[in-house]
Amino acid sequence: METTQAVSELARAQHTTVSTVLQAAWSQILMGLTGQRDVAFGTVVSGRPTDLPGADVIVGLMINTVPARATVDADTTVADLLEQLQITRNDTLEHQFLALTDIHRATGHDELFDTLFVYENYPLDPGAFTGTATDLTITGFSIRERNHYPLTLAVLPGPQLGLRFEYDTTQFTTKTITRLGQRFQRVLDVLTTTKQGE
């Protein structure tokens, strides 16, 4: 609960989103694991651009996976990283419907990332599942999504952030993923307790 509140406060203080703060933490994890200061990961986006022909008559969700990139050097502060991620997101917002295969083709790379970050912020009203005309009441539900990436971090917003790691068991052990979750917690603690200019 404290971490969730600290993440929200940092997002508010930096005029960004909770998702951006979590992406900054994920990028720090990837930098630590790879030893690189320039990393990319996939992010799931959802939107219905008004200038997309036919967007107003398309039925269903419009979700897509697009790359996110984070670059740091010795002088990069937490505020700098958050601003970089937010600016990049804002600059690419109008192109988020572009298919990942088209992005690969445009960049000249067959693969841009091998991990996925998902912030599951779609609205869900638990009251909508209570029975009214019958005795049937849904008391719980779960959501499972499948993708081909060896490692996915899905974050569920709420009064307390929930984390779900989906992973390829031929590449990761449960113990490794548990340690990764603990490391993510520590990175969030550092991000949220670092003074904004540091």
Side-chain angles (χ1 to χ4, degrees):
M1 191 79 123
E2 289 176 17
T3 301
T4 300
Q5 184 176 346
V7 167
S8 295
E9 288 172 4
L10 177 59
R12 198 170 19 260
Q14 293 299 312
H15 308 291
T16 191
T17 65
V18 168
S19 178
T20 300
V21 173
L22 297 169
Q23 286 182 29
W26 187 239
S27 67
Q28 293 292 295
I29 292 287
L30 295 177
M31 289 175 192
L33 292 174
T34 64
Q36 302 296 315
R37 291 178 175 262
D38 185 352
V39 296
F41 53 94
T43 59
V44 175
V45 295
S46 174
R48 191 174 291 267
T50 55
D51 58 341
L52 179 65
D56 58 332
V57 295
I58 297 173
V59 176
L61 292 174
M62 294 182 72
I63 63 171
N64 195 15
T65 302
V66 296
R69 181 179 179 190
T71 306
V72 300
D73 59 31
D75 298 325
T76 304
T77 65
V78 170
D80 293 338
L81 179 57
L82 293 172
E83 181 180 19
Q84 175 193 138
L85 287 166
Q86 187 66 44
I87 287 171
T88 301
R89 182 192 172 281
N90 291 343
D91 288 348
T92 59
L93 201 56
E94 65 189 69
H95 305 289
Q96 288 187 344
F97 64 89
L98 192 62
L100 189 54
T101 53
D102 293 334
I103 296 171
H104 285 162
R105 193 171 17 265
T107 61
H109 296 281
D110 292 334
E111 190 173 340
L112 296 171
F113 51 84
D114 56 8
T115 67
L116 188 61
F117 175 89
V118 182
Y119 186 72
E120 297 184 344
N121 64 344
Y122 42 81
L124 192 58
D125 177 11
F129 296 107
T130 58
T132 54
T134 68
D135 292 333
L136 178 65
T137 301
I138 298 173
T139 58
F141 57 90
S142 65
I143 299 167
R144 276 290 167 227
E145 298 162 356
R146 302 280 185 240
N147 64 65
H148 66 279
Y149 299 103
L151 180 60
T152 297
L153 169 59
V155 180
L156 302 123
Q160 183 170 344
L161 290 171
L163 301 181
R164 184 179 73 239
F165 286 96
E166 297 172 6
Y167 57 96
D168 181 341
T169 56
T170 65
Q171 296 187 40
F172 299 96
T173 65
T174 302
K175 187 176 180 180
T176 301
I177 296 299
T178 299
R179 284 196 310 257
L180 189 61
Q182 293 165 343
R183 190 171 184 177
F184 190 77
Q185 173 71 48
R186 287 192 304 272
V187 169
L188 283 176
D189 290 343
V190 170
L191 285 177
T192 57
T193 57
T194 301
K195 290 188 178 111
Q196 294 172 14
E198 296 179 356

